[in-house]
Coordinates of all heavy atoms in Angstrom, one line a residue:
M1 N 0.8 -1.2 0.0 CA 0.0 0.0 0.0 C 0.9 1.2 0.0 O 1.8 1.3 0.8 CB -0.9 0.0 1.3 CG -2.2 0.7 1.1 SD -3.2 0.9 2.6 CE -3.5 -0.8 3.1
G2 N 0.6 2.2 -0.9 CA 1.4 3.4 -1.0 C 1.1 4.3 0.2 O 0.1 4.2 0.9
R3 N 1.9 5.3 0.3 CA 1.8 6.3 1.4 C 0.4 7.0 1.3 O -0.2 7.3 2.3 CB 3.0 7.3 1.4 CG 2.9 8.3 2.5 CD 3.1 7.8 3.9 NE 2.9 8.9 4.8 CZ 2.1 8.9 5.8 NH1 1.3 7.9 6.1 NH2 2.0 9.9 6.7
G4 N 0.0 7.4 0.1 CA -1.2 8.1 -0.1 C -2.4 7.3 0.4 O -3.3 7.8 1.1
R5 N -2.5 6.0 0.0 CA -3.6 5.2 0.4 C -3.6 5.0 1.9 O -4.6 4.9 2.5 CB -3.5 3.8 -0.3 CG -3.9 3.9 -1.7 CD -3.9 2.5 -2.3 NE -4.2 2.5 -3.7 CZ -4.4 1.4 -4.4 NH1 -4.4 0.2 -3.8 NH2 -4.7 1.5 -5.7
Q6 N -2.4 4.8 2.5 CA -2.3 4.5 3.9 C -2.7 5.7 4.7 O -3.5 5.6 5.7 CB -0.8 4.2 4.2 CG -0.6 3.8 5.7 CD 0.9 3.5 6.0 OE1 1.8 3.8 5.2 NE2 1.1 2.9 7.1
K7 N -2.3 6.9 4.3 CA -2.7 8.1 4.9 C -4.3 8.3 4.8 O -4.9 8.7 5.8 CB -2.0 9.4 4.4 CG -2.3 10.6 5.1 CD -1.6 11.8 4.6 CE -2.0 13.0 5.3 NZ -1.3 14.2 4.8
A8 N -4.8 8.0 3.7 CA -6.2 8.2 3.5 C -7.0 7.2 4.4 O -8.0 7.6 5.0 CB -6.6 7.9 2.0
K9 N -6.5 6.0 4.5 CA -7.2 5.0 5.3 C -7.1 5.5 6.8 O -8.1 5.4 7.5 CB -6.5 3.7 5.2 CG -7.2 2.5 5.9 CD -6.5 1.2 5.6 CE -7.2 0.1 6.3 NZ -6.6 -1.2 6.0
H10 N -6.0 6.0 7.3 CA -5.8 6.5 8.7 C -6.8 7.7 8.9 O -7.4 7.8 9.9 CB -4.4 6.8 9.0 CG -3.5 5.6 9.2 ND1 -3.6 4.8 10.3 CD2 -2.5 5.1 8.4 CE1 -2.7 3.8 10.2 NE2 -2.1 4.0 9.0
T11 N -6.9 8.5 7.9 CA -7.7 9.7 8.0 C -9.2 9.3 8.1 O -10.0 9.8 8.9 CB -7.5 10.6 6.8 OG1 -6.2 11.0 6.7 CG2 -8.4 11.9 6.9
K12 N -9.6 8.3 7.3 CA -10.9 7.8 7.3 C -11.3 7.2 8.7 O -12.3 7.4 9.3 CB -11.1 6.7 6.3 CG -12.5 6.1 6.2 CD -12.6 5.0 5.2 CE -13.9 4.3 5.3 NZ -14.0 3.2 4.4
I13 N -10.4 6.4 9.2 CA -10.6 5.7 10.6 C -10.6 6.8 11.6 O -11.5 6.7 12.5 CB -9.5 4.7 10.8 CG1 -9.6 3.5 9.9 CG2 -9.5 4.2 12.3 CD1 -8.4 2.6 9.9
A14 N -9.8 7.8 11.6 CA -9.8 8.9 12.6 C -11.1 9.7 12.5 O -11.6 10.0 13.6 CB -8.6 9.8 12.3
R15 N -11.6 9.9 11.4 CA -12.9 10.6 11.3 C -14.0 9.8 11.8 O -14.9 10.3 12.5 CB -13.2 10.9 9.8 CG -12.6 12.2 9.3 CD -13.3 12.7 8.1 NE -12.4 13.7 7.5 CZ -11.7 13.4 6.3 NH1 -11.8 12.3 5.7 NH2 -10.9 14.3 5.9
E16 N -14.0 8.5 11.6 CA -15.0 7.6 12.1 C -15.0 7.6 13.6 O -16.0 7.7 14.3 CB -14.9 6.2 11.6 CG -15.2 6.0 10.2 CD -15.0 4.6 9.6 OE1 -14.5 3.8 10.5 OE2 -15.2 4.4 8.4
L17 N -13.8 7.5 14.2 CA -13.7 7.5 15.7 C -14.1 8.8 16.3 O -14.7 8.9 17.4 CB -12.2 7.2 16.1 CG -11.8 5.8 15.8 CD1 -10.3 5.6 16.1 CD2 -12.6 4.8 16.6
K18 N -13.9 9.9 15.6 CA -14.1 11.2 16.1 C -15.6 11.6 16.0 O -16.2 12.1 17.0 CB -13.4 12.3 15.3 CG -13.5 13.7 15.9 CD -12.6 14.7 15.2 CE -12.7 16.1 15.7 NZ -11.9 17.0 15.0
Y19 N -16.3 11.3 14.9 CA -17.6 11.8 14.7 C -18.7 10.8 14.9 O -19.9 11.1 15.0 CB -17.7 12.4 13.3 CG -16.9 13.6 13.1 CD1 -15.8 13.6 12.3 CD2 -17.1 14.7 13.8 CE1 -15.0 14.7 12.1 CE2 -16.4 15.9 13.7 CZ -15.3 15.8 12.8 OH -14.5 16.9 12.7
D20 N -18.5 9.5 14.8 CA -19.5 8.5 15.0 C -19.9 8.3 16.4 O -19.0 8.4 17.3 CB -19.1 7.1 14.4 CG -19.1 7.1 12.9 OD1 -19.6 8.0 12.3 OD2 -18.6 6.1 12.3
T21 N -21.2 8.1 16.7 CA -21.6 7.9 18.0 C -21.8 6.4 18.2 O -22.3 5.7 17.3 CB -22.9 8.6 18.3 OG1 -23.9 8.2 17.4 CG2 -22.7 10.1 18.3
Y22 N -21.3 5.8 19.3 CA -21.4 4.4 19.5 C -22.4 4.2 20.7 O -22.4 4.9 21.7 CB -20.0 3.9 19.9 CG -19.1 4.0 18.7 CD1 -18.2 5.1 18.7 CD2 -19.1 3.1 17.7 CE1 -17.3 5.2 17.6 CE2 -18.2 3.2 16.6 CZ -17.3 4.2 16.6 OH -16.4 4.3 15.6
N23 N -23.1 3.1 20.6 CA -24.0 2.7 21.7 C -23.2 2.0 22.7 O -22.6 0.9 22.4 CB -25.1 1.8 21.2 CG -26.1 2.6 20.3 OD1 -26.2 3.8 20.4 ND2 -26.7 1.9 19.3
V24 N -23.2 2.5 23.9 CA -22.4 1.9 25.0 C -23.3 1.3 26.1 O -24.3 2.0 26.5 CB -21.5 3.0 25.7 CG1 -20.7 2.3 26.8 CG2 -20.5 3.6 24.7
N25 N -23.1 0.1 26.4 CA -23.9 -0.5 27.4 C -23.3 -0.2 28.8 O -22.3 -0.9 29.2 CB -24.0 -2.0 27.2 CG -24.9 -2.7 28.2 OD1 -25.4 -2.1 29.1 ND2 -25.2 -4.0 27.9
Y26 N -23.7 0.9 29.4 CA -23.1 1.3 30.7 C -23.3 0.4 31.8 O -22.5 0.3 32.7 CB -23.6 2.7 31.0 CG -23.1 3.8 30.0 CD1 -23.9 4.4 29.1 CD2 -21.8 4.2 30.1 CE1 -23.5 5.3 28.2 CE2 -21.3 5.1 29.2 CZ -22.1 5.7 28.3 OH -21.7 6.6 27.4
S27 N -24.4 -0.3 31.9 CA -24.7 -1.2 33.0 C -23.7 -2.4 32.9 O -23.2 -2.8 33.9 CB -26.1 -1.8 33.0 OG -26.4 -2.4 31.8
A28 N -23.4 -2.9 31.7 CA -22.4 -4.0 31.6 C -21.0 -3.5 31.9 O -20.2 -4.2 32.6 CB -22.4 -4.6 30.2
L29 N -20.7 -2.3 31.5 CA -19.4 -1.7 31.8 C -19.3 -1.5 33.3 O -18.2 -1.7 33.9 CB -19.3 -0.4 31.1 CG -18.0 0.4 31.2 CD1 -16.8 -0.5 30.7 CD2 -18.0 1.7 30.5
E30 N -20.3 -1.0 34.0 CA -20.3 -0.8 35.4 C -20.1 -2.1 36.2 O -19.3 -2.2 37.1 CB -21.6 -0.2 35.9 CG -21.6 0.1 37.4 CD -23.0 0.8 37.8 OE1 -23.9 0.9 37.0 OE2 -23.0 1.1 39.0
K31 N -20.7 -3.2 35.7 CA -20.5 -4.5 36.4 C -19.1 -5.0 36.2 O -18.5 -5.6 37.1 CB -21.5 -5.5 35.7 CG -22.9 -5.4 36.2 CD -23.8 -6.4 35.5 CE -25.2 -6.2 35.8 NZ -26.1 -7.1 35.0
E32 N -18.5 -4.7 35.0 CA -17.2 -5.2 34.8 C -16.1 -4.4 35.5 O -15.2 -4.9 36.1 CB -16.9 -5.1 33.3 CG -15.5 -5.7 32.9 CD -15.3 -5.6 31.4 OE1 -16.2 -5.6 30.6 OE2 -14.1 -5.7 31.0
L33 N -16.3 -3.1 35.6 CA -15.3 -2.2 36.3 C -15.7 -1.9 37.7 O -14.9 -1.2 38.4 CB -15.2 -0.9 35.5 CG -14.7 -1.1 34.0 CD1 -14.7 0.2 33.4 CD2 -13.3 -1.7 34.0
G34 N -16.9 -2.3 38.2 CA -17.4 -1.9 39.5 C -16.6 -2.4 40.6 O -15.7 -3.2 40.5
H35 N -16.9 -1.8 41.8 CA -16.2 -2.2 43.0 C -16.7 -3.5 43.5 O -17.9 -3.7 43.6 CB -16.5 -1.1 44.1 CG -15.9 -1.4 45.4 ND1 -14.5 -1.4 45.6 CD2 -16.4 -1.8 46.6 CE1 -14.3 -1.7 46.9 NE2 -15.4 -2.0 47.5
H36 N -15.8 -4.4 43.8 CA -16.1 -5.7 44.4 C -15.9 -5.7 45.9 O -14.9 -5.1 46.3 CB -15.3 -6.8 43.7 CG -15.5 -6.9 42.2 ND1 -16.6 -7.4 41.7 CD2 -14.7 -6.5 41.2 CE1 -16.5 -7.3 40.4 NE2 -15.4 -6.8 40.0
D37 N -16.8 -6.3 46.6 CA -16.6 -6.4 48.1 C -15.4 -7.2 48.5 O -14.8 -6.9 49.5 CB -17.9 -6.9 48.7 CG -19.1 -6.0 48.5 OD1 -18.8 -4.8 48.4 OD2 -20.2 -6.5 48.5
D38 N -15.1 -8.2 47.7 CA -14.0 -9.1 48.1 C -12.7 -8.5 47.6 O -12.5 -8.2 46.5 CB -14.1 -10.5 47.4 CG -15.4 -11.2 48.0 OD1 -15.8 -11.0 49.1 OD2 -15.9 -12.1 47.2
D39 N -11.8 -8.3 48.6 CA -10.5 -7.8 48.3 C -9.6 -9.0 47.9 O -9.4 -9.9 48.7 CB -9.9 -7.1 49.4 CG -8.6 -6.3 49.1 OD1 -8.2 -6.4 47.9 OD2 -8.0 -5.7 50.0
P40 N -9.1 -9.1 46.7 CA -8.3 -10.2 46.3 C -7.0 -10.4 47.0 O -6.4 -11.5 47.0 CB -8.0 -10.0 44.8 CG -8.1 -8.5 44.6 CD -9.1 -8.0 45.6
Y41 N -6.6 -9.4 47.8 CA -5.3 -9.6 48.5 C -5.5 -9.9 50.0 O -4.5 -10.0 50.7 CB -4.5 -8.2 48.4 CG -4.2 -7.9 47.0 CD1 -4.9 -6.9 46.3 CD2 -3.2 -8.6 46.3 CE1 -4.5 -6.6 45.0 CE2 -2.9 -8.3 44.9 CZ -3.6 -7.3 44.3 OH -3.3 -7.0 43.0
V42 N -6.7 -10.1 50.4 CA -7.0 -10.5 51.8 C -7.3 -12.0 51.8 O -8.1 -12.5 51.0 CB -8.2 -9.7 52.3 CG1 -8.5 -10.2 53.7 CG2 -7.9 -8.2 52.3
D43 N -6.7 -12.7 52.7 CA -6.9 -14.1 52.9 C -8.2 -14.3 53.7 O -8.2 -14.1 54.8 CB -5.7 -14.8 53.6 CG -5.8 -16.3 53.6 OD1 -6.7 -16.8 53.0 OD2 -5.0 -16.9 54.3
K44 N -9.3 -14.7 53.0 CA -10.5 -14.8 53.6 C -10.7 -16.1 54.5 O -11.6 -16.2 55.3 CB -11.7 -14.9 52.6 CG -11.6 -15.9 51.6 CD -12.7 -15.8 50.5 CE -12.5 -16.7 49.4 NZ -13.6 -16.5 48.4
W45 N -9.7 -17.0 54.4 CA -9.7 -18.2 55.3 C -8.7 -18.0 56.4 O -8.5 -19.0 57.2 CB -9.3 -19.4 54.5 CG -10.1 -19.6 53.2 CD1 -9.7 -19.4 51.9 CD2 -11.5 -19.9 53.1 NE1 -10.7 -19.6 51.1 CE2 -11.9 -19.9 51.8 CE3 -12.5 -20.2 54.1 CZ2 -13.1 -20.2 51.4 CZ3 -13.7 -20.4 53.7 CH2 -14.1 -20.5 52.3
A46 N -8.1 -16.9 56.6 CA -7.1 -16.7 57.7 C -7.6 -16.9 59.1 O -6.9 -17.5 59.9 CB -6.5 -15.3 57.5
D47 N -8.8 -16.5 59.4 CA -9.3 -16.6 60.8 C -10.0 -17.9 61.0 O -10.4 -18.2 62.2 CB -10.3 -15.5 61.0 CG -9.6 -14.1 61.0 OD1 -8.4 -14.1 61.3 OD2 -10.2 -13.1 60.7
Q48 N -10.2 -18.8 60.0 CA -10.9 -20.0 60.2 C -10.1 -21.1 61.0 O -10.7 -21.8 61.8 CB -11.3 -20.6 58.9 CG -12.2 -21.8 58.9 CD -12.7 -22.2 57.6 OE1 -12.3 -21.6 56.6 NE2 -13.5 -23.2 57.6
Y49 N -8.8 -21.1 60.8 CA -8.0 -22.1 61.5 C -6.9 -21.4 62.3 O -6.4 -20.3 62.0 CB -7.3 -23.0 60.5 CG -8.3 -23.7 59.6 CD1 -8.4 -23.3 58.3 CD2 -9.0 -24.8 60.1 CE1 -9.4 -24.0 57.5 CE2 -9.9 -25.4 59.3 CZ -10.1 -25.0 58.0 OH -11.0 -25.7 57.2
D50 N -6.5 -22.0 63.5 CA -5.5 -21.5 64.3 C -4.1 -21.7 63.6 O -4.0 -22.7 62.9 CB -5.5 -22.2 65.7 CG -6.7 -21.8 66.5 OD1 -7.2 -20.7 66.3 OD2 -7.1 -22.6 67.4
D51 N -3.2 -20.9 64.0 CA -1.8 -21.0 63.4 C -1.2 -22.2 64.2 O -1.4 -22.4 65.3 CB -1.0 -19.8 63.6 CG -1.6 -18.6 62.7 OD1 -2.2 -19.0 61.6 OD2 -1.3 -17.5 63.0
E52 N -0.3 -22.9 63.5 CA 0.4 -24.0 64.1 C 1.4 -23.5 65.2 O 1.6 -24.1 66.2 CB 1.2 -24.7 63.0 CG 0.4 -25.5 62.1 CD 1.2 -26.2 61.0 OE1 2.4 -26.2 61.1 OE2 0.5 -26.7 60.0
D53 N 1.9 -22.3 65.0 CA 2.8 -21.7 66.0 C 2.1 -21.5 67.3 O 2.7 -21.6 68.4 CB 3.5 -20.4 65.4 CG 4.3 -20.7 64.2 OD1 4.8 -21.8 64.0 OD2 4.5 -19.7 63.4
E54 N 0.9 -21.0 67.3 CA 0.2 -20.8 68.5 C -0.1 -22.0 69.3 O 0.0 -22.1 70.5 CB -1.2 -20.1 68.2 CG -1.0 -18.7 67.7 CD -2.4 -18.1 67.3 OE1 -3.4 -18.7 67.5 OE2 -2.3 -16.9 66.8
D55 N -0.3 -23.2 68.6 CA -0.5 -24.5 69.3 C 0.7 -24.9 70.0 O 0.6 -25.4 71.1 CB -0.9 -25.5 68.3 CG -2.3 -25.3 67.7 OD1 -3.1 -24.5 68.3 OD2 -2.6 -25.7 66.6
E56 N 1.9 -24.7 69.4 CA 3.1 -25.1 70.0 C 3.4 -24.3 71.3 O 3.9 -24.8 72.3 CB 4.3 -25.0 69.0 CG 4.2 -26.0 67.9 CD 5.2 -25.8 66.9 OE1 6.1 -24.9 67.1 OE2 5.2 -26.5 65.8
L57 N 3.0 -23.0 71.3 CA 3.3 -22.1 72.4 C 2.4 -22.5 73.6 O 2.8 -22.4 74.7 CB 3.0 -20.6 72.0 CG 4.1 -20.0 71.1 CD1 3.6 -18.6 70.7 CD2 5.4 -20.0 71.7
E58 N 1.2 -22.9 73.3 CA 0.2 -23.3 74.4 C 0.7 -24.6 75.1 O 0.5 -24.7 76.2 CB -1.2 -23.5 73.8 CG -1.8 -22.2 73.4 CD -3.2 -22.4 72.7 OE1 -3.6 -23.5 72.6 OE2 -3.8 -21.4 72.2
K59 N 1.2 -25.5 74.3 CA 1.7 -26.8 74.9 C 2.9 -26.6 75.8 O 3.1 -27.4 76.7 CB 2.0 -27.8 73.8 CG 0.7 -28.2 73.0 CD 1.1 -29.2 71.9 CE -0.1 -29.6 71.1 NZ 0.2 -30.5 70.0
A60 N 3.7 -25.6 75.5 CA 5.0 -25.5 76.2 C 4.8 -24.9 77.6 O 3.9 -24.5 78.1 CB 5.9 -24.6 75.4

């Protein structure tokens, strides 16, 4: 593809992106990007079992 055709294609795409209106599903976007109650960095099973180190201290 020559430089003229390539530039024309890029210009056409740029115009489409600038002036066309797109239908956005905001509810689906909100679900995808929304705040989740579960923090992925917190160990949710941490308080369920005692630590092994605490058991050894109680026996001593």
